[in-house]
């Protein structure tokens, strides 16, 4: 018993001595605070159905939207095409849809749908549907089309759209003034909100036919609640009926 007591005493003495040599307890270091999440870019709310009828802006004509101050300045090639143009040859009489820069201004409704990787523009006129890609993809040689290839980005409170890769179009600048557009055409659009209204600027450049870029700015009003786009059912025979009444330019 004496030996066991001595062993216990020695062990307790050693334990007390070791405890005395330990450094004082330090508080546990605080966990690093989480970095604040990066702010997401602000996306303007452009989605909806928009009224582009004469209630919103004047109907297109010889002075709308191309007035004296912004009418395109044609080069010699453009002037020559316009001079020989025969209205009966306009593709619209064969149900060929309108294209940029004319189709946004046509006096009809349009719908905008915003998705994370794209924005869809659907026009009541000609049932045109455009896709504006937001994911950084690049066009290929397979992407030439009547409506071109559109990429976009949000810039502050606006959507910027750039479109190229168009096909040659005998009435590609507009479908009523005989000005063509080429595969060099590029159209830049900017859309933004002003209160309840949608506003947009459309700029077109085409060095094949234009001496310098030109643009117009217009607006759209909110469609009445419940409005749906009216299908554009183009019948080729009906579409060509006006041609029969035209005086041919060439005999």
């Amino acid at each position: 018993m004496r030996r066991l007591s001595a062993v216990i005493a020695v062990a307790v003495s050693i334990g007390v001595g070791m405890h005395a040599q330990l450094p004082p307890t330090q508080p546990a270091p605080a966990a690093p605070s989480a970095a604040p999440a990066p702010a997401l870019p602000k996306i303007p709310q452009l989605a909806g159905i928009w009224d582009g009828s004469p209630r919103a802006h004047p109907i297109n004509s010889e002075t709308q939207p191309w007035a004296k101050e912004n009418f395109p300045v044609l080069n010699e090639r453009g002037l020559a095409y316009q001079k020989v143009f025969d209205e009966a040859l306009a593709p619209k009489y064969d149900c060929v849809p309108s294209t940029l820069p004319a189709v946004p201004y046509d006096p009809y409704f349009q719908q905008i749908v915003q998705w994370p990787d794209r924005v869809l523009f659907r026009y009541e006129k000609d049932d045109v549907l455009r896709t504006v890609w937001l994911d950084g993809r690049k066009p290929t040689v397979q992407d030439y089309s009547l409506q071109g290839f559109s990429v976009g980005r949000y810039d502050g409170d606006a959507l910027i759209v750039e479109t190229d890769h168009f096909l040659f179009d005998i009435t590609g600048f507009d479908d009523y003034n005989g000005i063509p557009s080429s595969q060099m055409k590029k159209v830049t659009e900017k859309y933004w909100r002003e209160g309840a209204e949608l506003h947009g600027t459309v700029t077109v450049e085409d060095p094949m036919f234009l001496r310098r870029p030109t643009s117009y700015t217009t607006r759209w009003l909110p469609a009445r609640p419940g409005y749906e786009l009216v299908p554009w059912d183009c019948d080729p025979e009906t579409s060509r009926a006006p041609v029969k009444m035209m005086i041919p330019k060439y005999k």
Side-chain angles (χ1 to χ4, degrees):
M1 289 295 294
R2 290 179 178 177
R3 181 176 297 177
L4 178 60
S5 300
V7 170
I8 294 173
V10 171
V12 171
S13 175
I14 293 174
V16 172
M18 292 179 64
H19 178 76
Q21 295 176 10
L22 289 174
T25 303
Q26 300 293 328
S33 58
L40 295 176
K42 183 178 179 181
I43 297 178
Q45 298 303 307
L46 309 176
I49 298 180
W50 299 97
D51 182 355
S53 72
R55 190 170 74 93
H57 54 233
I59 192 169
N60 51 350
S61 63
E62 292 299 323
T63 58
Q64 293 291 342
W66 309 109
K68 182 178 180 180
E69 62 274 9
N70 70 334
F71 198 85
V73 180
L74 304 180
N75 59 22
E76 286 79 2
R77 185 182 293 107
L79 291 170
Y81 266 86
Q82 188 182 40
K83 182 178 180 180
V84 302
F85 176 72
D86 188 345
E87 174 68 17
L89 299 178
K92 63 185 177 184
Y93 298 118
D94 292 305
C95 293
V96 177
S98 182
T99 183
L100 294 168
V103 66
Y105 195 87
D106 280 332
Y108 298 89
F109 288 70
Q110 67 173 351
Q111 182 177 18
I112 299 178
V113 178
Q114 292 174 272
W115 288 350
D117 65 337
R118 73 196 74 176
V119 177
L120 303 179
F121 284 80
R122 183 186 170 200
Y123 302 93
E124 205 169 50
K125 169 73 182 293
D126 296 337
D127 273 339
V128 173
L129 176 63
R130 297 173 55 210
T131 300
V132 178
W133 296 104
L134 305 176
D135 57 5
R137 69 181 63 194
K138 304 295 183 182
T140 69
V141 293
Q142 306 298 325
D143 290 315
Y144 280 92
S145 70
L146 188 66
Q147 302 300 337
F149 185 90
S150 298
V151 297
R153 68 184 187 279
Y154 293 111
D155 184 4
D157 293 331
L159 169 67
I160 308 298
V161 181
E162 296 179 339
T163 306
D164 55 17
H165 281 63
F166 289 97
L167 295 174
F168 174 82
D169 189 340
I170 194 64
T171 57
F173 183 85
D174 216 318
D175 57 4
Y176 61 85
N177 52 34
I179 300 176
S181 65
S182 75
Q183 291 175 302
M184 299 176 68
K185 179 172 70 172
K186 179 178 179 180
V187 179
T188 303
E189 301 157 87
K190 179 180 180 180
Y191 297 97
W192 70 95
R193 291 283 296 270
E194 291 189 10
E197 300 178 355
L198 174 69
H199 288 243
T201 294
V202 180
T203 302
V204 57
E205 52 187 290
D206 187 348
M208 182 66 72
F209 297 112
L210 306 182
R211 290 192 179 275
R212 58 177 177 266
T214 189
S215 65
Y216 67 83
T217 298
T218 188
R219 69 166 188 166
W220 296 261
L221 301 176
R224 64 180 181 273
Y227 184 86
E228 295 183 1
L229 298 189
V230 178
W232 185 271
D233 187 14
C234 184
D235 175 68
E237 184 175 351
T238 303
S239 182
R240 287 207 62 83
V243 177
K244 300 176 182 178
M245 303 178 66
M246 294 180 186
I247 299 175
K249 189 170 185 176
Y250 303 100
K251 298 181 179 180

